[in-house]
Amino acid sequence: MAEPLHEDQDTVQQEELISQELFSLFLGVNPQITTVEAVEYKEDIESFIQKLAKKQSRYRSEKQFLKYAFYKIHNRYLKRYTDHTDLYDLLNKGQYDCITGSAFYALILNALNIEYTIHELPYHVYLLVQLKNEKGNILLESTDARSGFVEDPERITQIMEMYAQDIPSEKADHYTYSFEINAEIELKQLAALNYYNEAVVYYNQQNLKQATHYLNYASQLYPARRMETLRMLIDEVTKQPISSAGR
């Protein structure tokens, strides 16, 4: 987690509010972004965080500030839900999915010294914030612009149970995993899922070279079982003999 923001404004401005390593890791999924763009985006987000930090110091209720921040972030950056996006899509076009949306919130929560956990399911990711000075947790659903801030304990339990029931066997158009995916992960592992998704796209296009490239990087960051499964599928395809066109 990032160090707490200090009240002294000059000190705040000198801090690296967003980890350059993590920021570069998420942006690195998309080779189109330039170094200049990356610097400009990071400066813009850190300026936004400084404004949030000033608001944070004025709120007596951590929950109320978090609610304000959730919708402020969504309105400013998350414009349109789109399947399979990366952080560059979010910053450049406002397009996001559950991985990029959750990652963006997590990067900002780090800077504001707000504790949270990232929850990975077969087809979804969401955040759970642990309140420090108030009872309970807050579920942050990045894909829900209207009611993604969930504070009612019973509702949080219902949503988490609903998410957990989203098992692979119910997804007819997806590969069926033979194992459960329901884990708390770190930001680097969340970034790995972005690279994994890129590998899946190339696999579905049968571009196995690019699929392997992205999968190798994803596996280095997060050697999860779903990575092993995709590698097995790629190996099965590459081992199949292909007849020549002139037989």
Side-chain angles (χ1 to χ4, degrees):
M1 300 289 289
E3 291 296 323
L5 293 173
H6 302 293
E7 294 182 0
D8 181 77
Q9 184 175 347
D10 292 335
T11 305
V12 170
Q13 289 178 345
Q14 293 172 6
E15 291 182 351
E16 182 185 54
L17 300 181
I18 297 178
S19 162
Q20 183 61 55
E21 179 187 3
L22 290 171
F23 192 64
S24 298
L25 191 58
F26 279 99
L27 285 179
V29 178
N30 194 323
Q32 295 180 348
I33 188 167
T34 67
T35 302
V36 173
E37 286 178 308
V39 171
E40 290 176 348
Y41 285 134
K42 189 169 185 289
E43 289 177 350
D44 174 74
I45 299 168
E46 291 187 331
S47 175
F48 178 76
I49 290 173
Q50 288 176 351
K51 294 175 183 177
L52 282 181
K54 291 179 181 179
K55 287 281 187 179
Q56 184 181 22
S57 64
R58 298 170 188 166
Y59 274 83
R60 292 186 177 181
S61 167
E62 183 182 10
K63 183 186 297 184
Q64 289 303 311
F65 168 73
L66 192 60
K67 186 172 185 178
Y68 164 81
F70 176 83
Y71 290 109
K72 189 72 174 179
I73 293 167
H74 217 293
N75 292 337
R76 169 74 181 270
Y77 292 99
L78 282 65
K79 304 299 183 182
R80 183 170 71 258
Y81 177 86
T82 307
D83 286 334
H84 183 68
T85 63
D86 53 55
L87 187 58
Y88 184 45
D89 293 324
L90 187 155
L91 296 173
N92 188 39
K93 305 174 186 176
Q95 298 176 346
Y96 66 95
D97 59 14
C98 67
I99 291 179
T100 52
S102 296
F104 192 68
Y105 274 107
L107 289 169
I108 294 178
L109 292 177
N110 277 356
L112 296 172
N113 197 37
I114 295 174
E115 296 182 1
Y116 63 89
T117 51
I118 306 170
H119 295 259
E120 173 199 5
L121 296 163
Y123 307 110
H124 193 57
V125 173
Y126 65 93
L127 303 180
L128 200 63
V129 174
Q130 294 79 46
L131 297 174
K132 293 179 182 178
N133 303 318
E134 301 172 57
K135 292 183 179 180
N137 299 319
I138 304 295
L139 188 148
L140 301 184
E141 174 50 70
S142 65
T143 64
D144 190 343
R146 293 188 176 182
S147 52
F149 182 91
V150 185
E151 57 184 298
D152 179 71
E154 292 186 6
R155 179 59 181 156
I156 290 175
T157 299
Q158 291 174 356
I159 291 175
M160 292 179 68
E161 289 176 350
M162 178 185 68
Y163 287 162
Q165 292 172 3
D166 184 23
I167 57 177
S169 60
E170 295 178 350
K171 297 279 187 178
D173 59 338
H174 288 72
Y175 177 85
T176 302
Y177 297 102
S178 60
F179 49 87
E180 180 182 3
I181 301 177
N182 190 343
E184 288 186 16
I185 60 175
E186 302 296 329
L187 255 175
K188 281 190 177 181
Q189 295 170 319
L190 184 57
L193 295 182
N194 238 175
Y195 288 88
Y196 168 81
N197 279 353
E198 199 72 16
V200 168
V201 169
Y202 282 112
Y203 171 80
N204 289 336
Q205 296 172 354
Q206 290 300 285
N207 186 337
L208 302 183
K209 182 178 180 180
Q210 282 294 85
T212 301
H213 169 73
Y214 278 98
L215 179 59
N216 285 343
Y217 200 72
S219 298
Q220 290 175 15
L221 295 170
Y222 184 24
R225 293 185 68 183
R226 71 163 83 212
M227 311 292 180
E228 298 172 9
T229 299
L230 180 55
R231 191 175 302 282
M232 177 192 69
L233 294 174
I234 292 174
D235 288 344
E236 287 179 356
V237 173
T238 56
K239 290 176 182 177
Q240 292 183 19
I242 302 173
S243 299
S244 65
R247 287 187 65 184

